[in-house]
């Protein structure tokens, strides 16, 4: 079983609020990822990190930001939420080898009213 | 470019039917290949993987063989169960320094 956690699992907030989605893993993985999953199921990589103080933007442009101050923690922040941010957000981590399994958290379902 | 193409769903099968979900990839070199499964309300979890040509990954009755000549990694199961209803994602990774690339997912519904 994967040791990767996301909180909250569900969040309903109003437009304009600042929110932070938490992601933590206890596997010592250097590589961590954030995906946005649309209702059609497709996964879009929005941010990733290959270690402390390293962050990169993914394939899908996102208004969110991320930070990586500690190996185990990779939070995602929206400064001003909008209805277009309503989605499922999945965090993942993996080891250093290309053959390593990527582990996913349970996801945060965000609804912005 | 580097991409993963999997058959579009939804796929609806009766219990005990044979399942095939096609997946093909384009990539340079020799990528590692994965199948992930997502049950309702959950994150993705690894179903099986293969890291070199002709490898066969298997788990829970599912199998997939890494076919370099056809650049394919089709998922099969001989007899599906209602509990197999989920979304299945094919993915590939070129190396440890590149993110996984996922297909668009295939929803499977198994009816009793």
């Amino acid at each position: 079983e994967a040791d990767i956690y996301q909180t909250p699992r569900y969040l309903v907030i109003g437009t304009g609020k600042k929110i932070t989605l938490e992601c933590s893993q206890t596997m010592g993985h250097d590589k961590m990822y954030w995906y946005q999953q649309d209702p059609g199921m497709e996964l879009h990589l929005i941010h990733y990190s290959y270690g402390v103080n390293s962050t990169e933007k993914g394939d899908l442009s996102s208004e969110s930001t991320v930070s990586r101050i500690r190996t185990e923690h990779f939070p995602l922040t929206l400064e001003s939420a909008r209805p277009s941010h309503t989605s499922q957000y999945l965090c993942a981590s993996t080891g250093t080898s290309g053959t390593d399994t990527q582990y996913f958290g349970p996801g945060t379902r965000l609804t912005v009213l | 470019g580097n991409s993963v193409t999997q058959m579009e769903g939804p796929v609806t099968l009766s219990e005990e039917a044979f399942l095939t979900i096609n997946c093909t990839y384009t990539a340079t070199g020799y990528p590692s290949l994965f199948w992930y499964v997502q049950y309702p309300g959950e994150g993705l979890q690894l179903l099986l993987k293969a890291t070199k040509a002709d490898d066969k990954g298997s788990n829970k009755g599912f199998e997939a063989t890494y076919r370099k000549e056809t650049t394919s990694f089709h998922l099969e199961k001989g007899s599906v169960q209602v509990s197999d209803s989920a979304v299945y994602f094919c993915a590939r990774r070129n190396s440890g320094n590149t993110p996984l690339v996922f297909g668009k997912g295939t929803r499977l519904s198994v009816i009793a």
Side-chain angles (χ1 to χ4, degrees):
Chain A
E1 190 165 320
D3 295 319
I4 180 165
Y5 310 98
Q6 290 185 244
T7 57
R9 291 292 312 276
Y10 302 92
L11 180 61
V12 180
I13 59 167
T15 297
K17 300 292 186 183
K18 176 180 179 178
I19 59 165
T20 296
L21 308 186
E22 302 287 350
C23 176
S24 295
Q25 49 92 10
T26 58
M27 296 174 283
H29 288 161
D30 284 327
K31 296 185 171 71
M32 295 189 74
Y33 307 86
W34 276 104
Y35 293 85
Q36 187 172 335
Q37 186 173 30
D38 60 31
M41 307 174 304
E42 189 171 357
L43 294 163
H44 302 284
L45 180 65
I46 52 175
H47 298 283
Y48 61 99
S49 166
Y50 284 171
V52 171
N53 294 325
S54 150
T55 60
E56 303 286 343
K57 290 189 180 296
D59 305 321
L60 181 69
S61 175
S62 174
E63 294 165 345
S64 58
T65 59
V66 292
S67 62
R68 189 86 183 277
I69 299 173
R70 304 197 315 264
T71 297
E72 63 271 21
H73 194 212
F74 190 41
L76 180 145
T77 298
L78 279 165
E79 291 291 335
S80 180
R82 295 207 303 270
S84 61
H85 297 138
T86 294
S87 190
Q88 168 93 323
Y89 292 86
L90 294 169
C91 180
S93 74
T94 189
T96 54
S97 169
T99 64
D100 283 347
T101 297
Q102 184 162 306
Y103 295 94
F104 283 80
T108 295
R109 180 160 297 283
L110 173 66
T111 302
V112 184
L113 303 175
Chain B
N2 295 326
S3 67
V4 175
T5 303
Q6 61 182 104
M7 64 187 284
E8 291 189 22
V11 174
T12 302
L13 295 173
S14 297
E15 210 165 21
E16 299 183 4
F18 185 85
L19 168 71
T20 300
I21 301 178
N22 290 339
C23 172
T24 57
Y25 65 92
T26 60
T28 55
Y30 302 94
S32 295
L33 302 173
F34 306 81
W35 275 101
Y36 279 81
V37 59
Q38 185 178 30
Y39 298 104
E42 298 182 13
L44 280 69
Q45 56 185 270
L46 179 71
L47 181 60
L48 53 85
K49 67 180 180 182
T51 59
K52 61 183 188 296
D54 300 324
D55 266 3
K56 177 187 282 189
S58 61
N59 186 26
K60 299 180 182 180
F62 291 88
E63 292 183 342
T65 300
Y66 189 139
R67 303 279 188 203
K68 187 173 184 300
E69 63 278 10
T70 55
T71 61
S72 64
F73 193 53
H74 305 322
L75 182 68
E76 296 181 337
K77 186 174 185 182
S79 177
V80 293
Q81 305 301 312
V82 172
S83 57
D84 294 326
S85 298
V87 180
Y88 293 81
F89 292 89
C90 185
R92 67 112 181 100
R93 184 192 287 129
N94 278 358
S95 72
N97 289 326
T98 57
L100 273 175
V101 175
F102 285 93
K104 293 185 177 182
T106 302
R107 185 179 300 279
L108 170 67
S109 296
V110 181
I111 54 178

